C-alpha cells in the first residue's frame, strides 16, 4: 500500500505565491511509486483540495481529511511546503500535533522560535565560532525607538520585519534620514522589526537536513547579487543574482561552516530541511549568522535543489528521505 501524503501549500501571507511554485515542483517530483499525493491549499477560512475536474473539496478540520465521492481520504503524513504563516510559524505544526499527523518540518516550538529572527539569534548566540551582528529588536514604531537606534547602533543598517520571509519589507539604510521610511516599511509587514549593523562579507546560503537518522550539511551556495543585498527582486527575478554552488570557500572555511550549521540544526531542534543564510566577514573570515529558514523554497532553481544536485543526489530521493524521516519515532 502506498502512503497517502498531503502536500500543504498556499498560506496567509504574500509568500503564498512562492509556496505554490514550490508545491508544483514537489508535486511532480515526489516518487509516485511510493506515495499518493494530494495537494491541499490553505487560505484564511478556505482549506481545500482541488480535484482533477476542478471541483473544490473542503478539508474536514476535525481530522484533516477530504471526501472524494464516497471515499474518505485520511493522510499518513504531511509534506509541508507552506512558506510564512501558518506553515512556517508553528501554527500548522501545533494543529497536526493535536490530531496526530506527522509532518516534514520543525515542530511547533522550533517553528515559532525560528520564525522570529531576534529570538533565533538569542538562542544560537552561544554556539562556538558563530558571530552575530549587533542589533536591536523593536516592538513599536516610535520616536523613542528611532532615537534608540541612532544612539546604540552604527550605520549602515539593515532593517527587516522580524517574522517575515522572502526579504519583503527589508531595507538597507546608509543615512539617518533614510531610517524613518525604512522603519515604516518594515512595520507595515510586522509588529516586530529587527535593526542590524551591516557586516561586510561574502554572502552564502546553505541547506541542512535530517534523513536516515543522520544530519547532512549540503554544499553552500554563494550569493553574488547585482543588488546591494539579497532582497525580494534578487531572490526571484532571473539574472539579478549569480548563485554559485558549491560556493567559493577554502577547505578550512567549509569545515568551519559545516561544524556551525550542524550545531545550529541541533540547537534549534530542527526537523526536515532547513536553509541558513550567513556571511563570511571580509577582513576576518568569521562566520556571521543571518537567519534560518525552516520551510525553504523547492522551486526547480531553488538553492536547496541546487545543493542536493551538487552532492550527486536526485531531488526525488531527497524528498523520499524527508518523508520517511517523519515516520521515525
Amino acid at each position: 500500500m502506498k502512503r497517502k501524503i498531503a502536500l500543504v501549500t498556499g498560506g496567509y501571507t504574500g509568500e503564498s505565491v512562492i509556496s505554490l511554485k514550490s508545491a508544483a515542483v514537489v508535486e511532480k517530483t515526489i516518487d509516485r511509486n511510493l506515495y499518493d499525493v494530494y495537494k491541499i491549499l490553505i487560505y484564511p477560512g478556505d482549506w481545500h483540495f482541488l480535484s482533477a475536474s476542478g471541483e473544490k473539496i473542503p478539508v474536514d478540520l476535525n481530522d484533516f481529511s477530504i471526501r472524494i465521492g464516497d471515499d474518505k481520504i485520511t493522510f499518513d503524513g504531511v509534506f509541508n511546503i507552506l512558506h510564512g504563516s501558518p506553515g512556517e510559524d508553528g501554527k500548522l505544526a501545533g494543529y497536526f500535533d493535536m490530531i496526530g499527523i506527522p509532518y516534514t518540518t520543525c515542530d511547533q516550538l522550533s517553528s515559532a522560535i525560528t520564525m522570529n529572527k531576534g529570538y533565533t539569534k538569542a538562542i544560537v548566540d552561544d554556539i562556538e565560532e558563530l558571530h552575530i551582528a549587533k542589533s536591536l529588536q523593536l516592538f513599536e514604531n516610535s520616536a523613542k525607538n528611532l532615537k534608540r537606534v541612532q544612539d546604540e547602533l552604527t550605520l549602515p543598517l539593515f532593517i527587516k520585519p522580524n517574522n517575515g520571509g522572502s526579504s519583503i519589507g527589508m531595507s538597507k539604510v546608509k543615512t539617518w534620514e533614510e531610517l524613518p521610511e525604512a522603519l515604516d516599511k518594515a512595520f507595515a509587514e510586522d509588529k516586530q522589526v529587527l535593526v542590524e549593523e551591516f557586516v561586510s562579507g561574502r554572502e552564502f546560503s546553505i541547506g541542512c537536513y535530517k534523513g536516515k537518522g543522520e544530519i547532512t550539511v549540503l554544499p553552500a551556495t554563494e550569493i553574488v547579487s547585482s543588488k546591494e543585498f539579497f532582497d525580494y527582486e534578487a531572490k526571484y527575478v532571473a539574472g539579478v543574482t549569480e548563485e554559485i554552488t558549491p560556493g567559493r570557500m577554502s577547505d578550512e572555511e567549509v569545515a568551519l561552516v559545516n561544524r556551525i550549521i550542524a550545531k545550529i540544526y541541533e540547537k534549534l531542534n530542527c526537523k526536515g530541511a532547513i536553509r541558513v543564510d550567513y556571511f563570511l566577514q571580509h577582513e576576518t573570515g568569521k562566520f556571521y549568522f543571518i537567519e534560518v529558514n525552516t520551510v525553504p523554497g523547492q522551486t526547480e532553481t531553488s538553492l536547496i535543489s541546487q545543493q542536493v544536485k551538487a552532492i550527486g543526489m536526485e531531488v526525488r530521493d531527497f524528498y523520499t528521505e524527508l518523508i520517511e524521516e517523519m515516520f521515525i519515532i
Side-chain angles (χ1 to χ4, degrees):
M1 288 287 288
K2 291 196 279 186
R3 280 175 160 149
K4 291 182 172 64
I5 302 296
L7 176 61
V8 170
T9 184
Y12 294 6
T13 71
E15 290 185 86
S16 63
V17 177
I18 309 302
S19 180
L20 292 170
K21 289 180 179 179
S22 290
V25 172
V26 175
E27 186 178 27
K28 74 177 185 181
T29 308
I30 281 182
D31 192 338
R32 297 307 179 104
N33 294 317
L34 299 176
Y35 312 109
D36 288 326
V37 180
Y38 298 79
K39 187 160 66 177
I40 305 294
L41 294 115
I42 292 180
Y43 298 108
D46 179 19
W47 295 27
H48 68 269
F49 168 74
L50 207 58
S51 72
S53 63
E55 181 188 0
K56 206 184 210 185
I57 298 170
V59 174
D60 183 344
L61 297 182
N62 291 297
D63 59 1
F64 196 67
S65 65
I66 56 175
R67 189 168 287 279
I68 300 177
D70 295 330
D71 296 328
K72 178 177 177 174
I73 309 293
T74 57
F75 301 106
D76 297 300
V78 171
F79 194 113
N80 177 19
I81 195 62
L82 197 158
H83 310 311
S85 188
E88 198 168 359
D89 58 4
K91 294 185 177 73
L92 266 187
Y95 165 67
F96 290 134
D97 284 342
M98 287 193 295
I99 61 177
I101 298 179
Y103 45 91
T104 55
T105 44
C106 294
D107 66 19
Q108 188 272 331
L109 180 61
S110 294
S111 297
I113 289 171
T114 54
M115 193 69 178
N116 187 300
K117 296 178 179 70
Y119 295 162
T120 303
K121 290 188 174 190
I123 290 172
V124 302
D125 192 27
D126 67 349
I127 291 176
E128 193 176 354
E129 303 177 295
L130 181 150
H131 299 268
I132 291 174
K134 189 176 179 184
S135 66
L136 287 174
Q137 190 169 346
L138 306 181
F139 297 91
E140 63 177 349
N141 193 6
S142 64
K144 179 181 175 183
N145 277 336
L146 186 73
K147 184 175 187 306
R148 192 176 160 215
V149 171
Q150 292 174 323
D151 289 345
E152 296 183 29
L153 298 180
T154 303
L155 291 169
L157 301 170
F158 276 121
I159 319 293
K160 57 183 82 169
N162 202 32
N163 297 290
S166 295
S167 300
I168 297 168
M170 187 172 165
S171 304
K172 183 178 179 182
V173 167
K174 298 177 182 176
T175 68
W176 294 122
E177 288 74 26
E178 296 170 337
L179 181 61
E181 183 181 347
L183 289 173
D184 289 344
K185 182 179 174 183
F187 272 107
E189 298 294 330
D190 193 6
K191 293 176 182 177
Q192 297 179 33
V193 165
L194 193 66
V195 183
E196 291 180 312
E197 290 186 348
F198 173 68
V199 175
S200 175
R202 293 174 288 145
E203 186 170 358
F204 297 86
S205 191
I206 189 166
C208 181
Y209 77 99
K210 194 170 186 180
K212 298 179 180 177
E214 297 291 329
I215 295 173
T216 297
V217 181
L218 296 167
T221 298
E222 186 174 353
I223 308 297
V224 184
S225 179
S226 59
K227 304 276 288 184
E228 277 210 76
F229 61 92
F230 201 37
D231 63 3
Y232 186 91
E233 184 183 355
K235 284 183 177 178
Y236 300 115
V237 176
V240 175
T241 298
E242 183 183 3
E243 297 166 355
I244 304 166
T245 308
R248 296 167 295 187
M249 292 190 292
S250 67
D251 292 343
E252 292 79 8
E253 288 171 334
V254 169
L256 167 73
V257 168
N258 287 6
R259 283 196 301 273
I260 294 170
I261 297 301
K263 288 176 184 175
I264 290 171
Y265 193 97
E266 290 177 320
K267 181 93 182 203
L268 295 171
N269 189 31
C270 292
K271 278 172 51 185
I274 67 166
R275 201 190 71 236
V276 177
D277 298 336
Y278 65 94
F279 287 114
L280 291 181
Q281 191 175 35
H282 280 313
E283 306 82 21
T284 65
K286 289 179 178 177
F287 178 107
Y288 273 83
F289 175 84
I290 302 174
E291 65 182 34
V292 59
N293 184 325
T294 58
V295 186
Q298 297 291 344
T299 63
E300 289 181 341
T301 58
S302 72
L303 302 183
I304 288 279
S305 299
Q306 293 178 38
Q307 293 165 14
V308 167
K309 291 170 186 171
I311 62 169
M313 188 179 192
E314 294 288 339
V315 176
R316 179 193 64 240
D317 297 332
F318 169 63
Y319 292 160
T320 297
E321 286 200 18
L322 296 183
I323 292 168
E324 291 305 312
E325 186 68 22
M326 73 174 158
F327 295 117
I328 298 174
I329 305 296

